[in-house]
Amino acid sequence: MDLRQLTALVTVAEVGSVTKAARLLHVVQPAVTRQIRTLEAEIGVPLFDRTRQGMIPTAAGEVLVERARRALHELERARTEIGPHPGEVTGIVRVGLLESVIDVLAQPLVAAVTARYPGIELRILTAYSGHLQEWLDSGDIDMSLLYNLADAPALAVVPLLREKLWVVAPPDAGLTPKAAISWEAVLAQPLVLPVTGHGLRALIDQARSSVATQPRIAIQTNSMHLQKKLVLAGHGWTVLPAAGVAADIAAGRLSGAPLTAPEVVRSVVLGLQRGNRTPAPVEAVATELTRLVKALVRSGAWPSARVSAPAPDPSGSAA
């Protein structure tokens, strides 16, 4: 088993075709086929089902692809960390961001890390908190923003901020960030909500359960982007973190206001893998991300949020 075989395995699994994999790897198609067959002979089981729809990993293939992808990533990380740049922090850092914070945080984070650590390559993945935590637990990412997580056996959790949820409506509803709106008023409208089981939906359901009015749930979706689109199209109002809608409200595409009676607050934390040693580039990005979040909150760029206290040093808590 060698690196070329593992690279071929992962590439074929990702694109579903030997021909496409060969093109991406800049080798001839028979070479990729030979690498896969040699690997299957060594392992002793088929790694792909050859179908009309393409190359589909078998159950055994999926296991090996996952391990191979992780091994290739670690080798790539080692290569960058020990490259010919003494004293410079270099390496690959995989950061998970909540979909609701992309607008306020992603670009400033990239700019800050690029300016201070030009040798670090950021890889940013976005998803909901549950998916991000799974990726963090499995080692597919190095750190992630998560919410409403106090502690976890395999993770070091650094509190960052607490932020209010807002009700979001079409522009003609006339909602304003300066005037909170009660759940009683919100529940008089049809609602576009996250699907049942989603972490944000759990917060919403808990809050509205204290109000006698029963909700009229028009649509459920697992996409924040689609929530906003459906609200704008007039299908109902929704509830989202302020950071996810601040730009839309400022531009007049939507209107929104903080919720009250009861107020709904979520905590956002930085999760890192526990271990004996945090790689220098991971520690650097964690520290930069923590500093940046605090600055965004204190400047008002992260609306309806306040910095959590205490907020431990990520490098210490990750040990």
Side-chain angles (χ1 to χ4, degrees), residues 22 32 62 80 86 137-138 140 154 162 221 232 234 288 294 299 313:
V32 175
E62 289 179 353
T80 58
D137 288 338
S138 65
D140 292 329
R162 291 173 60 81
T221 176
L232 186 57
E288 196 65 22
K294 291 180 180 179
S299 70
D313 181 351

Side-chain angles (χ1 to χ4, degrees), residues 219-230:
I219 304 169
Q220 300 183 50
T221 176
N222 66 348
S223 166
M224 188 186 77
H225 176 72
L226 185 53
Q227 279 178 259
K228 294 193 288 187
K229 286 285 189 183
L230 292 170

Side-chain angles (χ1 to χ4, degrees), residues 183 186-187 189-193 215-219 235-238:
W183 274 98
V186 172
L187 293 177
Q189 304 292 328
L191 298 178
V192 177
L193 295 182
R216 291 184 290 148
I217 301 174
I219 304 169
H235 293 286
W237 293 11
T238 193

Side-chain angles (χ1 to χ4, degrees), residues 28-63:
V28 295
Q29 180 176 336
V32 175
T33 300
R34 183 169 59 253
Q35 287 161 353
I36 297 297
R37 287 178 175 168
T38 301
L39 196 53
E40 288 179 322
E42 182 175 343
I43 298 296
V45 295
L47 298 175
F48 289 95
D49 288 324
R50 281 77 170 171
T51 72
R52 292 183 178 180
Q53 288 72 41
M55 300 279 284
I56 300 175
T58 62
E62 289 179 353
V63 171

Side-chain angles (χ1 to χ4, degrees), residues 131-209:
H131 292 149
L132 291 172
Q133 187 173 347
E134 288 177 7
W135 296 346
L136 193 56
D137 288 338
S138 65
D140 292 329
I141 54 179
D142 301 302
M143 69 184 73
S144 182
L145 292 189
L146 305 167
Y147 68 84
N148 287 10
L149 180 67
D151 194 16
L155 302 179
V157 177
V158 182
L160 293 179
L161 61 88
R162 291 173 60 81
E163 66 174 336
K164 296 178 182 179
L165 298 190
W166 285 12
V167 61
V168 182
D172 57 11
L175 304 184
T176 171
K178 296 180 180 179
I181 185 170
S182 71
W183 274 98
E184 192 71 41
V186 172
L187 293 177
Q189 304 292 328
L191 298 178
V192 177
L193 295 182
V195 294
T196 301
H198 186 282
L200 188 60
R201 176 64 181 273
L203 282 177
I204 294 169
D205 287 346
Q206 181 179 5
R208 68 168 181 78
S209 66

Side-chain angles (χ1 to χ4, degrees), residues 1-11 39 64 68 71-72:
M1 188 181 299
D2 60 34
L3 290 181
R4 287 179 300 175
Q5 292 170 344
L6 296 181
T7 301
L9 172 75
V10 171
T11 306
L39 196 53
L64 189 59
L72 291 170

